[in-house]
């Protein structure tokens, strides 16, 4: 009865009434937030479709659980299953700092070529924010997922390979700008025209489909002219070629928007950090490179309450393949204590439902989360310092969400 999602010729997912969807539990608090998330999603699906649709969840493995069972951090079977079933849900996975295995999150994105990290950021009434007007924050960040410094092309100080790299730079390319030869580590930052263009294309198409007013290309092209500057130039070139009838380029700050068209602008990343704080309503869709996107998405989440309520997805828009994930870490210090906030993963599950075309169930989850936060009910990371709030544990929060969903028409 259960089937895999399939892709139609136009790149859109065709979802059967009974799809198989894999999930990765995750490390640390992963088990505590993944199980209730699946229950909330299932409840929304039952409520929306009265049993006519249902997801069959199958567990696949990565991280600590995979290593204990198979001796591998990311088994090949895990990637194969996601390739087969197209969409998956993933809890947080641990990443060692300064050594050990490379990031499992990065490895999964690269092996599946999930080139766009999509992170919607908006404020919920009832959540405290450091901003005076957090209601102005409503942006979707498109972060390039496959290139930049996250490729992990690094050479450690003192190693033989590092000496070869340094010799090549200084003797073959006549680089004079290395301050401390023989005492440096090196990292290489690949940025391609292909990856830049497909990321910008996806962001503009999304803006058109969702009727968003603007797309901002964020970069550090004034310093990194041939990588970040090229990203900006390739992005503008693509937009002028493919989206001329849908978009216009911002000429100056005083220009009035053309009727029905999307404003395309660019910002230097350090100036953008200031502008997103002072003028968040100006930025609706943000397209940027990998490292910038990491910084920007976490700052944006902090503006509306923190990464505990920030959903995310890693998507290949042409194939429909996607992994929806909690955007925060594994929080091992609170694992097993019923303190973890499951909202990030629950809202990522809402994005999954939207991706497969089950909008009615997604809307129920959105409304339930809004109701909970309006009533100032949630986990301690959000409401520990809030007067009159009702603090609940992970399990109770999910239970209250299910109850809220049940009472909606």
């Amino acid at each position: 009865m259960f089937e895999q999602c399939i892709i139609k010729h136009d790149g859109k997912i065709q979802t059967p009434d009974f799809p198989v969807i894999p999930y990765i539990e995750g490390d640390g608090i992963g088990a505590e937030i993944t199980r209730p998330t699946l229950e909330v999603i299932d409840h929304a699906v039952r409520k929306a479709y009265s049993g006519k649709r249902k997801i069959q969840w199958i567990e696949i493995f990565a991280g600590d659980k995979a290593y204990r069972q198979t001796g591998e951090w990311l088994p090949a079977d895990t990637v194969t299953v996601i390739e087969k079933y197209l969409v998956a849900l993933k809890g947080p996975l641990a990443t060692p700092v300064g050594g050990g295995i490379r990031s499992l999150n990065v490895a999964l994105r690269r092996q599946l070529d999930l080139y766009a990290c999509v992170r919607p950021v908006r404020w919920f009434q009832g959540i405290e924010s450091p901003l005076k007007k957090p209601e102005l924050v409503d942006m979707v960040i498109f972060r390039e997922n496959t290139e930049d410094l996250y490729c992990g092309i690094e050479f450690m100080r003192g190693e033989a390979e590092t000496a070869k790299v340094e010799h090549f730079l200084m003797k073959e390319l006549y680089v004079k700008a290395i301050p401390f030869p023989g005492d440096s580590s090196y990292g290489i930052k690949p940025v391609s025209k292909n990856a830049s263009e497909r990321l910008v294309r996806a962001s503009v198409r999304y803006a058109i489909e969702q009727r968003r007013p603007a797309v901002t290309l964020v970069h550090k092209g004034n310093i990194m002219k041939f990588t970040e500057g090229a990203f900006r130039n390739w992005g503008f070139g693509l937009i002028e070629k493919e989206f001329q009838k849908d978009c216009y380029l911002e000429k100056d700050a005083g220009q009035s928007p053309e009727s029905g068209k999307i404003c395309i602008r660019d910002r230097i990343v350090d100036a953008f950090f200031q502008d997103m704080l002072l003028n968040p309503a100006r930025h609706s869709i943000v397209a940027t490179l990998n490292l910038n996107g990491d910084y920007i998405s976490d700052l944006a989440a902090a503006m509306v309450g923190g990464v505990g309520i920030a959903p995310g997805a890693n998507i290949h828009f042409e194939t429909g393949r996607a992994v929806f994930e909690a955007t925060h870490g594994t929080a091992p210090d609170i694992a097993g204590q019923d303190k973890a906030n499951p909202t990030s993963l629950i809202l990522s599950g809402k994005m999954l439902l939207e991706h497969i075309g089950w909008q009615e169930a997604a809307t129920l989850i959105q409304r339930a989360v809004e109701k909970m936060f309006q009533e100032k009910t949630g986990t301690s990371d959000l409401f520990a310092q809030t007067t009159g709030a009702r603090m609940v544990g992970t399990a109770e929060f999910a239970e209250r969400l299910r109850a809220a969903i049940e009472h909606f028409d």
Side-chain angles (χ1 to χ4, degrees):
M1 181 172 67
F2 289 94
E3 306 172 70
Q4 66 190 78
C5 299
I6 60 174
I7 291 289
K8 296 191 291 184
H9 70 279
D10 59 358
K12 300 295 184 180
I13 285 185
Q14 183 176 11
T15 307
D17 290 334
F18 299 95
V20 175
I21 298 181
Y23 72 92
I24 296 170
E25 188 177 79
D27 300 326
I29 60 172
E32 292 172 75
I33 66 173
T34 301
R35 285 192 294 269
T37 293
L38 300 182
E39 292 170 358
V40 168
I41 295 172
D42 286 343
H43 199 83
V45 170
R46 280 196 302 272
K47 177 68 175 179
Y49 308 116
S50 303
K52 295 178 181 178
R53 290 177 173 175
K54 184 180 180 181
I55 296 171
Q56 180 184 359
W57 300 101
I58 58 171
E59 185 175 7
I60 55 178
F61 303 99
D64 288 340
K65 199 169 185 179
Y67 191 77
R68 290 195 303 269
Q69 292 188 13
T70 70
E72 298 180 83
W73 297 101
L74 182 59
D77 286 349
T78 294
V79 177
T80 301
V81 169
I82 298 174
E83 288 176 334
K84 177 179 179 180
Y85 292 108
L86 289 181
V87 295
L89 188 72
K90 182 182 75 62
L93 293 173
T95 298
V97 177
I101 60 171
R102 290 284 179 185
S103 168
L104 290 173
N105 296 314
V106 173
L108 197 57
R109 295 165 191 167
R110 292 192 67 202
Q111 288 187 38
L112 293 165
D113 196 25
L114 305 176
Y115 66 82
C117 179
V118 181
R119 294 191 178 181
V121 182
R122 54 152 292 190
W123 178 69
F124 290 92
Q125 184 179 349
I127 300 291
E128 292 193 356
S129 164
L131 301 188
K132 292 182 178 179
K133 295 183 177 180
E135 67 274 11
L136 297 179
V137 180
D138 184 9
M139 64 181 72
V140 182
I141 298 155
F142 277 69
R143 166 189 172 190
E144 203 291 315
N145 240 354
T146 64
E147 296 191 319
D148 204 346
L149 295 172
Y150 286 69
C151 287
I153 308 172
E154 292 189 294
F155 301 91
M156 182 63 191
R157 171 192 176 276
E159 300 291 336
E161 293 83 358
T162 310
K164 291 179 182 178
V165 171
E166 188 171 87
H167 182 273
F168 177 74
L169 291 172
M170 298 179 67
K171 302 301 181 181
E172 300 292 330
L173 299 182
Y174 305 105
V175 172
K176 306 294 185 183
I178 300 173
F180 298 102
D183 193 37
S184 299
S185 294
Y186 295 89
I188 294 178
K189 178 186 177 79
V191 174
S192 71
K193 186 172 185 284
N194 177 65
S196 299
E197 286 186 340
R198 66 180 182 174
L199 187 279
V200 172
R201 181 183 295 113
S203 70
V204 176
R205 284 178 176 170
Y206 183 93
I208 294 169
E209 291 170 1
Q210 300 296 320
R211 300 182 182 277
R212 292 277 184 156
V215 176
T216 305
L217 308 187
V218 180
H219 58 89
K220 189 63 176 173
N222 58 330
I223 301 299
M224 291 173 273
K225 301 181 186 298
F226 301 146
T227 51
E228 305 237 348
F231 166 81
R232 179 256 191 201
N233 294 339
W234 291 328
F236 275 134
L238 174 101
I239 292 166
E240 290 177 349
K241 179 181 178 182
E242 298 185 10
F243 298 101
Q244 197 168 49
K245 69 180 181 64
D246 301 298
C247 305
Y248 71 95
L249 302 182
E250 181 185 59
K251 298 289 195 280
D252 55 65
Q255 182 175 352
S256 298
E258 297 181 27
S259 177
K261 288 193 173 185
I262 297 165
C263 176
I264 306 296
R265 61 171 67 95
D266 76 295
R267 291 290 184 272
I268 302 298
V269 64
D270 42 345
F272 178 75
F273 282 127
Q274 174 174 272
D275 205 34
M276 70 187 291
L277 287 169
L278 299 178
N279 302 290
R282 184 179 296 167
H283 305 290
S284 179
I285 306 295
V286 176
T288 190
L289 291 168
N290 209 337
L291 184 60
N292 294 335
D294 201 352
Y295 297 149
I296 290 168
S297 57
D298 280 5
L299 173 58
M303 290 162 59
V304 297
V307 292
I309 60 172
N314 303 288
I315 305 173
H316 191 299
F317 280 90
E318 288 67 41
T319 65
R321 191 178 297 134
V323 174
F324 299 83
E325 65 181 0
T327 61
H328 52 72
T330 59
D333 55 318
I334 61 169
Q337 300 178 37
D338 195 40
K339 293 181 178 179
N341 186 351
T343 308
S344 172
L345 193 58
I346 288 169
L347 290 177
S348 296
K350 173 216 159 213
M351 292 178 70
L352 184 154
L353 292 171
E354 291 172 335
H355 186 70
I356 66 174
W358 292 10
Q359 184 61 54
E360 298 85 358
T363 299
L364 288 174
I365 292 175
Q366 180 75 21
R367 291 177 63 192
V369 172
E370 289 173 349
K371 182 177 186 294
M372 293 282 282
F373 291 156
Q374 285 170 1
E375 296 173 350
K376 297 187 177 181
T377 299
T379 48
S380 61
D381 61 315
L382 294 179
F383 294 113
Q385 308 301 322
T386 304
T387 302
R390 182 191 294 113
M391 283 192 299
V392 297
T394 310
E396 185 178 348
F397 181 78
E399 182 181 340
R400 287 177 177 270
L401 277 179
R402 296 196 301 274
I405 289 170
E406 189 60 37
H407 284 91
F408 291 139
D409 294 331

